[in-house]
Amino acid sequence: MPAAAAAVAAGMATGPGSRVTRFAKSTAASVTPVRPGKTHALSPLDNAMERHAVHAVLYVRAAPGVDREQLKESLSEALSLYPAMTGRLTRGGEGAEGAGGAATASGEPARRGWVVKCNDAGVRMVDARAAATLDEWLATATGDEEMDLLHYEPMGAEPYIWSPFYVQLTEFTDKSYALGLSCTHMHNDPTAAALFFQSWAAAHRRSTSTYPPFLHAPALEVSPASPPPPPPLLAEKSSTASPAGADAAAMSSATFHFPAAAVRALLSSMDPGTTPFAVLAALFWLRIAGAGAGDDGERDLTLALDFRKRMHAPLPWGYYGSAVHFTRARADLAAGLPDVAAALERHVAGVPEDELWRAVEWLHARQQQQDHEAFQMYGPELTCVALDHVPMYVAEFAAGAPPSRVSCRVGGAAGEGLVIVLPAAEGGEARDVVVTLPAEATARVCRDGEVLRHGGQVVFGVKAGKEA
């Protein structure tokens, strides 16, 4: 095998014993060419996510018209709405129209940061097969095996040839499919990545997208009149930044399903108005932290909240970019689950909009510094992400057939770990919770008696007798 072909094959390989075989790699392009010279500037918040990636898997049951070639055709149709997805990254000042050079048209200094050259270079596509039916996979796969349904290559030394997006089509033996989307968080946050599937599904059905992309939010790029004081949480993250990729290999994932009845039972013992997110975030915080009776209990938890609809002038659901606000909640863990859930609920409901804008303005000012470097936004402290409000199950590739399951992870969340609360396929109060934790902690929480007692069902866990 030639050296170049061997390198490609090695990059596509899965681990020993994997039931997933990747067998081809290609490029998916838009059916509509982009006008020459078009660019898309990433916001300061987008740029701050440089160390993170978004990974989403959508499981589609076998149906007439849902096959590999038709999925590729509809993907190309959907990409016509997303010119930035098929482009390549360049630094501001490296010849990108509207973002480079010494000054903008108004004479003000050009903003530093990444810019997308919308040059129709395409999205990397990987074809794969899984040696299981969809139901067999859902019943037996581990959290780490699910990552075999995704393909992602970190940015190398030549970003102008690197694809920020990777799509893997994995066919199960019953002709069902797993659609795996991986991308840099600088382009899309988990909400935008999940809702891209809706645009793809609409194109597949020759329909109109319910959540079309909204590609530019000028408010997120406004330069502050004077450098604002750093928000304490972001200042702490930036000052304690660890090298990119540190300890990432020691992390492991698992997914828990909480049926609607289990969540309702949990909520029945909480304060009125407590949301499923607050009670599940509190439950996993308590179990991961290991707090018990006699503990002084006062601890902080970082929450990652989508702010599209938390602004006075809200952004559309289809906003293309990062709209995640990190905020610190505090609770007395020794007070027990109802009090911790109530504290989280109060904090989420009370986050003021000016806290969000202070963070955005500080990131903007920091980006202008010559020597600024990206730091870890998700972590290293335990972070809980609220995504259970996102309409993830609207992506019907066959009319009337929503996905069997949608999963989401964030790469680069090393440290104490990440807890993501998602909607579940059955709707209502049902929720899925995806944890990415140090390997020993993942194994421990998968067999935690309190999580299981409150109705948590391990969907993608760890293999018996294995700690990672």
Side-chain angles (χ1 to χ4, degrees), residues 80-94:
S80 298
L81 299 174
Y82 295 84
M85 282 185 66
T86 58
R88 295 295 181 265
L89 288 170
T90 184
R91 284 287 190 186
E94 295 180 0

Side-chain angles (χ1 to χ4, degrees), residues 50-55 152 242-246 248 251 375-380 409-415 418 436:
E50 185 174 339
R51 289 177 58 165
H52 299 288
V54 177
H55 307 289
Y152 187 67
S242 58
M251 307 299 282
F375 56 89
Q376 187 176 348
M377 296 288 281
Y378 292 85
R409 293 177 174 82
V410 175
L418 196 65
T436 302

Side-chain angles (χ1 to χ4, degrees), residues 114-258:
W114 290 104
V115 176
V116 182
K117 297 185 72 172
C118 304
N119 57 6
D120 287 323
V123 168
R124 292 283 186 264
M125 169 77 67
V126 172
D127 290 291
R129 296 189 183 94
T133 66
L134 175 55
D135 287 331
E136 289 170 346
W137 180 269
L138 295 177
T140 61
T142 67
D144 297 332
E145 275 186 302
E146 192 178 36
M147 294 300 292
D148 288 343
L149 305 178
L150 298 149
H151 181 78
Y152 187 67
E153 298 171 11
M155 185 192 302
E158 301 174 314
Y160 54 87
I161 63 172
W162 173 70
S163 175
F165 284 83
Y166 295 79
V167 175
Q168 179 171 317
L169 297 181
T170 305
E171 182 181 357
F172 295 99
T173 57
D174 61 351
K175 304 302 180 182
S176 297
Y177 279 88
L179 313 182
L181 174 68
S182 293
C183 64
T184 171
H185 204 313
M186 291 193 294
H187 265 268
N188 269 344
D189 62 10
T191 299
L195 291 180
F196 169 73
F197 285 116
Q198 195 277 333
S199 293
W200 184 0
H204 196 83
R205 300 191 325 270
R206 302 288 189 245
S207 181
T208 303
S209 175
T210 307
Y211 306 99
F214 180 77
L215 298 174
H216 187 54
L220 297 182
E221 299 182 19
V222 173
S223 178
S226 59
L233 178 57
L234 294 185
E236 182 178 312
K237 288 177 179 291
S238 63
S239 65
T240 60
S242 58
D247 299 325
M251 307 299 282
S252 184
S253 292
T255 299
F256 299 81
H257 174 64
F258 287 81

